[in-house]
Amino acid sequence: AEKTGTDKVTAPMRLPDCLKNDASCTRPGCVRQECRPWGHHYDTIYQQRMGPYSRDDTDPFQFLEIGFYNGAGYDTYREFLPNGECHSIEIACIEKGPRSEGKWPWGNFAEKNKRYQQYLDEDRLHCGDGSDVNYLDEVWRNSMKRPDAPPLKIVVDDGAHLAPHMAQTVFFWFPKIEPRGILIVEDIQPISEANEFRTQFLPQIMKDLHYCGDPKQLPDDLCFPTLFPLLASIHCEMHICIFERNDTPSKELSLAESKMPPNALDMSKCKSMLSGNWQRQNR
């Protein structure tokens, strides 16, 4: 990670100097000191959950990253996961032009990577909108769901850091991950762009994780019925969450079922999240 320059593990190294001189911090004055330096503290959670996939004797598997940017993170994954067939999606390498025309006007960040053309030629870097379910379906069916493809075991969202995009990643990709695989969403920090994922999506899926549907208890509606049957656990550390698949086989949902539902970022639209829903009824 240090060699490729990814920001995923840089914060612990920058924190000591940042604490000596708060003015040198990227986010000076944060009450939580770990938030002050540039970068993230993902080193421990990645080692715990991805470490087993880094072994040379691991069976081949597929890995997908949403958000290639300049490829620093992707290069790290390629080196860390020797038996992984690593894919990445990036919008900045689509045709240059106005966004109103479905193009990209802000430059191709991906081509700064020295292996940019190699990744395109290998059909590992896919240029398109990682939040567009129609495009995601094209990538899945044309490049990843091949007869000779290894199972999809890991998906990482490190894209636009926009709450709707983050939620869409979960709804589209989580059902496609094979049993006991993982989906990782990064950058769940308290910023306006991502806040609804942290404050609206996470409480609902956490509630569903503990759902039983016991007829002897008060009625309990699922918030995310397409995700609940596949969810084994949720593990979060600062600004990152990992959603683990259970032992149920992967599913091919329709495009309609794969889209983010209306309540995804508005928990008031899930009945069981409403205030007073769990108050005991008069006997």
Side-chain angles (χ1 to χ4, degrees):
E2 290 183 42
K3 183 169 63 176
T4 60
T6 178
D7 65 348
K8 299 180 188 300
V9 299
T10 54
M13 295 178 286
R14 293 170 178 260
L15 181 59
D17 289 340
C18 175
L19 295 182
K20 292 177 183 177
N21 178 14
D22 193 58
S24 70
C25 302
T26 303
R27 292 171 291 274
C30 283
V31 173
R32 188 170 187 172
Q33 294 179 343
E34 291 86 354
C35 296
R36 296 181 187 178
W38 181 80
H40 300 288
H41 300 264
Y42 300 159
D43 49 323
T44 54
I45 196 169
Y46 267 125
Q47 188 61 47
Q48 291 167 1
R49 304 309 299 264
M50 275 198 201
Y53 292 98
S54 68
R55 295 168 54 99
D56 292 332
D57 59 354
T58 299
D59 291 335
F61 63 94
Q62 280 188 327
F63 164 94
L64 171 66
E65 171 194 54
I66 310 295
F68 181 88
Y69 189 54
N70 62 14
Y74 181 77
D75 287 341
T76 303
Y77 292 128
R78 292 263 297 214
E79 184 170 341
F80 186 62
L81 305 171
N83 290 339
E85 179 186 294
C86 297
H87 294 259
S88 188
I89 293 175
E90 173 57 50
I91 194 172
C93 51
I94 64 174
E95 183 181 357
K96 184 178 180 180
R99 283 302 292 144
S100 60
E101 298 178 8
K103 301 175 184 178
W104 186 257
W106 297 293
N108 185 352
F109 316 125
E111 67 180 355
K112 297 178 181 180
N113 189 288
K114 63 182 180 182
R115 299 185 183 89
Y116 171 68
Q117 192 59 50
Q118 172 192 331
Y119 295 155
L120 288 174
D121 294 342
E122 293 174 345
D123 196 27
R124 296 295 181 263
L125 174 58
H126 312 283
C127 298
D129 186 345
S131 67
D132 181 345
V133 294
N134 293 295
Y135 177 70
L136 297 180
D137 191 58
E138 287 181 22
V139 172
W140 172 245
R141 296 188 182 282
N142 298 334
S143 300
M144 298 180 67
K145 191 187 175 185
R146 311 181 316 271
D148 64 333
L152 177 62
K153 299 292 284 189
I154 305 174
V155 174
V156 176
D157 184 287
D158 185 21
H161 312 332
L162 300 174
H165 293 202
M166 298 155 82
Q168 185 58 74
T169 290
V170 181
F171 283 101
F172 185 87
W173 289 107
F174 193 68
K176 293 174 172 55
I177 298 174
E178 294 299 321
R180 294 300 160 180
I182 55 176
L183 187 147
I184 303 171
V185 180
E186 299 183 354
D187 298 284
I188 313 177
Q189 55 260 43
I191 57 176
S192 59
E193 298 86 349
N195 264 344
E196 288 178 332
F197 188 87
R198 180 174 60 98
T199 63
Q200 302 294 315
F201 176 86
L202 283 180
Q204 294 185 77
I205 196 169
M206 183 64 74
K207 184 199 74 70
D208 282 0
L209 174 66
H210 301 287
Y211 175 86
C212 285
D214 186 345
K216 297 179 181 179
Q217 298 296 321
L218 294 176
D220 182 6
D221 295 330
L222 285 168
C223 293
F224 303 140
T226 61
L227 302 180
F228 157 75
L230 308 170
L231 183 64
S233 71
I234 302 170
H235 179 87
C236 297
E237 294 187 7
M238 189 174 73
H239 304 163
I240 185 171
C241 285
I242 295 183
F243 305 89
E244 181 186 16
R245 285 276 282 102
N246 59 20
D247 296 319
T248 302
S250 60
K251 288 186 175 182
E252 285 289 330
L253 302 180
S254 69
L255 285 184
E257 292 173 315
S258 300
K259 291 182 179 179
M260 180 179 68
N263 63 299
L265 300 175
D266 183 356
M267 62 182 179
S268 70
K269 294 181 179 179
C270 180
K271 181 179 178 181
S272 57
M273 300 295 291
L274 296 177
S275 177
N277 184 72
W278 293 102
Q279 292 178 0
R280 297 185 66 86
Q281 299 174 358
N282 292 330
R283 295 183 179 178

